[in-house]
Amino acid sequence: MALDRPTPNDLRAFWMPFTANRQFKQAPRMLVAADGMFYTTSDGRQVLDGTAGLWCCNAGHKRPKITEAIQKQAEELDYAPAFQMGHPKAFELANRLVDLAPEGIDHAFFTNSGSESVETALKIALAYHRAKGDASRTRLIGRERGYHGVNFGGISVGGIVNNRRHFGAMLAGVDHLPHTHIPQNQWSKGQPEHGADLADDLERIVALHGADTVAAVIVEPVAGSTGVLIPPKGYLQRLREITRKHGILLIFDEVITGFGRLGSPFGAQHFDVLPDMITCAKGLTNGVIPMGAVLTSAEIHDAFMTGPENLIELFHGYTYSGNPIASAAGLATLETYREDALFERAAELAPYWEEAVHSLKGRRHVIDIRNMGLIGAVELEPIAGAPTKRAFDAFLKAYDKGILIRTTGDIIAMSPPLIIEKAHIDQLIGTLAEVLDNLD
């Protein structure tokens, strides 16, 4: 039996984030259940999840091991203080994360979201240099079109204009590298050939301010929320060379690329580049319970562990850091990934996914297609004077036809759960082709 769709009056107290227009605010499309690859809507329809929720439900929906772990933990220990105290599952999860991470990443600091992971990593970077006697290193470097969450540190190093313009002054002492979305790479399959030299702009910033003033560079290995921008071949390696040369920390924001999205535990392994810190969230608990983490090298961790035992090492943390129920969900999620070999599955499906996504070339209004792992983007030509409208119309038509996609600007982004089958890929891309063919 289909549930009644809520009226505007039912929703009067709920301010929905990132709503797109007045009609949508008044009558949101409601999802009331989920299982495997599909959502159930309030009017009883099945909608194929082409976005893993919001880049987070990598193992699909309604996974029994995760549900059981949450239930059991709630009965055993619902909460433990995060300061000066601990509980076993937080330590166990930290060890499991370090085992998954690239060699050289040895410690985990727990947060509650990707945004908090970014704020934490930026603060750790600043405090690390101070602990090492380099207090002049306070400058942070982000990237144009970068997305690092919605807190003030994240929008300061981020480079998406509408995430910044409404909130006044940003953090001082922040610069931005150029983005890598250049015309020469149009229609690239996987990593594009051109643009590795854009990393060299970091040398210009260093020369302008002095290397001894720069604390950290933060980038997404694959920029997701801005519309899936794939790093050119050699680009991330070049950033690592320059940051290491000048004693600058390199932070990979892997909130999207972490946990199998590219066919490996983290993007750092996929691209064979070792950063100093990795931020993660989303797929850490399969989106079931908020949780994030910052993974760091032993060198960074150990820099804080030099004072007396009674002193606080790092003046930072959250009430819910390493929450017992979230930790249980994280452990069950990692076990689900392992048991179902989902990272390997993503790697095996990536070529099929690539060909399917690029089959949309030539459809109406499509001006570029990009892909990496199980991520895909279809860029549409904007309507003159009405940016974002064409992609949003595609989103609405896709939902009505039974697929869930995500749009950012005039770009359609897809990131399905790693449990996706080839038949699901055919359904997702085939339906999207129909949508594109009927777009104004």
Side-chain angles (χ1 to χ4, degrees):
M1 179 179 177
L3 299 178
D4 291 335
R5 186 170 178 171
T7 67
N9 191 55
D10 294 329
L11 300 165
R12 61 190 181 278
F14 183 26
W15 190 351
M16 295 181 68
F18 293 103
T19 46
N21 65 18
R22 187 174 302 278
Q23 180 183 7
F24 189 54
K25 291 176 185 176
Q26 291 176 341
R29 283 139 185 84
M30 300 293 286
L31 305 174
V32 298
D35 192 353
M37 282 294 303
F38 291 89
Y39 280 109
T40 301
T41 67
S42 58
D43 54 357
R45 296 186 306 113
Q46 295 290 291
V47 174
L48 178 65
D49 184 2
T51 59
L54 199 59
W55 308 85
C56 52
C57 303
N58 291 1
H61 300 278
K62 197 179 176 181
R63 298 307 304 255
K65 183 178 286 289
I66 302 172
T67 302
E68 292 166 8
I70 292 169
Q71 293 170 336
K72 182 178 178 181
Q73 186 60 47
E75 293 175 353
E76 181 181 287
L77 175 66
D78 53 356
Y79 179 79
F83 302 154
Q84 290 87 41
M85 306 292 290
H87 63 90
K89 284 191 172 57
F91 287 88
E92 184 181 354
L93 180 58
N95 288 332
R96 290 289 306 280
L97 282 172
V98 168
D99 288 343
L100 274 181
E103 187 175 352
I105 298 294
D106 303 295
H107 296 276
F109 189 110
F110 288 115
T111 69
N112 307 291
S113 67
S115 292
E116 287 187 2
S117 292
V118 167
E119 303 298 302
T120 298
L122 298 179
K123 289 176 73 175
I124 288 174
L126 296 173
Y128 164 79
H129 286 298
R130 183 173 290 270
K132 296 285 287 184
D134 293 329
S136 63
R137 287 186 181 267
T138 59
R139 187 166 294 276
L140 302 167
I141 311 299
R143 187 166 56 176
E144 296 168 0
R145 294 190 66 166
Y147 179 77
H148 302 291
V150 294
N151 293 340
F152 269 101
I155 63 175
S156 296
V157 295
I160 298 179
V161 62
N162 284 332
N163 288 356
R164 297 161 53 89
R165 70 194 314 167
H166 304 289
F167 304 108
M170 302 290 103
L171 295 183
V174 175
D175 274 301
H176 292 81
L177 294 165
H179 64 72
T180 61
H181 188 39
I182 56 178
Q184 299 95 305
N185 292 328
Q186 190 179 29
W187 310 114
S188 293
K189 291 185 177 182
Q191 278 193 275
E193 297 289 339
H194 307 285
D197 59 314
L198 291 167
D200 291 335
D201 198 62
L202 180 56
E203 291 281 20
R204 179 191 62 80
I205 295 174
V206 168
L208 176 64
H209 299 290
D212 60 344
T213 70
V214 183
V217 172
I218 182 169
V219 296
E220 303 155 273
V222 174
S225 294
T226 192
V228 183
L229 307 186
I230 312 299
K233 292 177 180 177
Y235 173 84
L236 295 174
Q237 289 80 358
R238 181 63 180 142
L239 274 185
R240 177 71 280 189
E241 291 170 6
I242 299 171
T243 52
R244 185 173 285 122
K245 170 185 172 184
H246 294 294
I248 300 167
L249 297 181
L250 179 61
I251 305 168
F252 273 6
D253 184 343
E254 298 228 31
V255 171
I256 283 177
T257 52
F259 306 106
R261 182 56 52 191
L262 302 181
S264 55
F266 294 97
Q269 290 136 322
H270 182 85
F271 295 110
D272 194 24
V273 176
L274 180 64
D276 300 291
M277 284 188 269
I278 292 173
T279 66
C280 60
K282 292 189 183 290
L284 173 55
T285 59
N286 202 45
V288 175
I289 288 181
M291 191 180 208
V294 179
L295 310 180
T296 78
S297 66
E299 179 182 356
I300 291 176
H301 169 271
D302 294 349
F304 295 97
M305 303 301 159
T306 59
E309 188 176 279
N310 59 294
L311 294 183
I312 295 172
E313 298 88 2
L314 177 66
F315 284 81
H316 176 74
Y318 302 100
T319 299
Y320 300 104
S321 291
N323 175 273
I325 297 174
S327 297
L331 286 166
T333 297
L334 298 187
E335 189 64 19
T336 299
Y337 292 148
R338 186 192 65 80
E339 288 181 350
D340 291 0
L342 291 185
F343 300 169
E344 296 84 355
R345 176 182 181 78
E348 291 170 2
L349 277 174
Y352 190 88
W353 171 258
E354 176 177 273
E355 292 306 312
V357 172
H358 279 271
S359 73
L360 296 172
K361 183 177 181 179
R363 299 288 176 174
R364 293 188 69 189
H365 310 300
V366 175
I367 60 174
D368 194 16
I369 293 173
R370 300 180 288 278
N371 73 283
M372 175 66 68
L374 288 187
I375 307 175
V378 179
E379 186 163 356
L380 306 179
E381 183 180 14
I383 296 173
T388 78
K389 185 179 186 305
R390 178 164 282 144
F392 186 67
D393 287 346
F395 165 78
L396 297 178
K397 292 178 185 295
Y399 177 86
D400 290 341
K401 285 182 171 290
I403 61 171
L404 182 65
I405 58 175
R406 175 155 173 72
T407 62
T408 174
D410 275 293
I411 299 165
I412 295 168
M414 295 172 287
S415 56
L418 310 184
I419 63 170
I420 194 168
E421 305 276 353
K422 289 183 178 179
H424 296 136
I425 295 175
D426 295 342
Q427 178 184 347
L428 177 64
I429 301 304
T431 304
L432 182 55
E434 295 175 11
V435 168
L436 294 172
D437 285 344
N438 289 282
L439 270 186
D440 295 327

